[in-house]
Amino acid sequence: MATMSEKRAAKREEKRIEREEAEAGFRLNQIKPATNAIFNVMFAILSFICVFPFFFVLMISISSEQSLRTNGYALIPSEFSLSAYEFLWNERGMILQSLLVSVGVTVLGTIIGVVLTTTMGYVLSRPQFKLRGFLQWVVFIPMIFTGGMVANYVVIANLLHMDDTIWCLVLPLAVSSWNVTISKTFFRQTIPDSIIESAKIDGATQLTIFARIVVPISKPVFATVALFLTFGYWNDWLQAALYINKDSLIGLQPLLNRMMGQLDYLANNPTAGLSLQQYRAQMPSESVRMAIATVIVIPIACAYPFFQKYFISGLTVGAVKG
């Protein structure tokens, strides 16, 4: 009986020590109320800085043209009007066409970019790959030095003859050294060599290993690269400015850029059955710029929450569970 009592007492003592250690660790990691309040204020300020420009643009887009001429840009317009959005609705044929081009380029470019970037990053993450050192320099050098805009134009337009095609909007942005480096680092730190070796012993090819083993446990890096590519394609206007002359291949961002630089672009393409003079007189130029900017921002803002959980997973990869 004495031995059983001693064992029970020892177990109770171990549990007490474990509980005290857990409480001590909790107190050590606990944020003080004052620090927590400071963090909340900082995040509130950062959130305001991010949201305020969009809200300001939205307010300008629903301001009347007379209010903008009289008072300029204002956070609370003196006179509200939906004339800018009515104008865009009248031009819905051109806006919808540009929207479809932007969506098509973004989806196609993101798929191609994710496949190329992640496969290249996976290959560079394997120490057994013989050309690993050479290809790492091939990836690293463009991150520091580039051939410049003239060299890019000569290659894409004169050598590959991709100007005025959808491929000049897709391929130049598909792979970047930064995204390849992110993928390589993730695969190197997350995919153990023992798993790869075990699959090889079972007779799996490299393509099978990547598709059935690497891809299912690498969703965070796929989502991260996909989000970077989506933002890049959706916000890009330079490729269209350099290589596209066909109106049928103009996306939303190039359309906005043309409107910002030359308001006559819309006036010279009337589709409402009006004369050119009437069309120019009815066009709410300032508010239309902000309205189309709002239309451009909304789709990409709605897409971001779908990637958020994978970012959270990416932050916790490698964490030690308590």
Side-chain angles (χ1 to χ4, degrees), residues 186 214-225 310-311 313:
F186 180 90
V214 176
V215 172
I217 60 179
S218 302
K219 290 181 180 179
V221 73
F222 278 83
T224 301
V225 173
Y310 295 110
F311 276 106
S313 300

Side-chain angles (χ1 to χ4, degrees), residues 8-170:
R8 291 175 181 174
K11 288 183 180 180
R12 286 195 297 268
E13 184 66 18
E14 289 178 359
K15 291 181 179 180
R16 184 185 65 81
I17 294 174
E18 291 178 356
R19 186 167 56 252
E20 290 179 353
E21 290 179 350
E23 292 176 355
F26 177 76
R27 287 194 299 270
L28 183 64
N29 295 323
Q30 189 178 18
I31 299 177
K32 296 180 180 179
T35 305
N36 190 31
I38 294 174
F39 284 158
N40 289 334
V41 172
M42 290 175 58
F43 285 125
I45 294 174
L46 292 174
S47 301
F48 176 78
I49 292 173
C50 294
V51 174
F52 177 77
F54 176 74
F55 179 77
F56 191 41
V57 168
L58 178 62
M59 288 294 102
I60 297 173
S61 70
I62 59 176
S63 302
S64 66
E65 198 69 13
Q66 182 61 34
S67 173
L68 293 175
R69 292 194 188 100
T70 304
N71 304 318
Y73 295 160
L75 184 61
I76 305 298
S78 59
E79 182 181 356
F80 291 92
S81 174
L82 295 177
S83 59
Y85 292 96
E86 293 175 358
F87 179 84
L88 292 182
W89 176 253
N90 293 332
E91 294 295 334
R92 57 187 178 274
M94 181 176 58
I95 301 296
L96 182 60
Q97 179 180 340
S98 297
L99 176 63
L100 292 177
V101 171
S102 293
V103 171
V105 169
T106 301
V107 172
L108 181 62
T110 299
I111 294 174
I112 294 176
V114 168
V115 172
L116 295 178
T117 300
T118 53
T119 51
M120 188 180 301
Y122 171 73
V123 170
L124 294 178
S125 69
R126 297 301 97 192
Q128 299 84 3
F129 183 54
K130 295 182 179 179
L131 297 178
R132 178 168 173 261
F134 170 74
L135 291 181
Q136 280 181 338
W137 281 105
V138 172
V139 171
F140 175 74
I141 291 175
M143 191 184 299
I144 309 299
F145 307 102
T146 61
M149 187 179 298
V150 175
N152 289 335
Y153 184 86
V154 170
V155 171
I156 293 174
N158 296 343
L159 295 181
L160 300 179
H161 301 289
M162 291 194 303
D163 52 323
D164 281 331
T165 66
I166 195 173
W167 299 112
C168 70
L169 303 176
V170 173

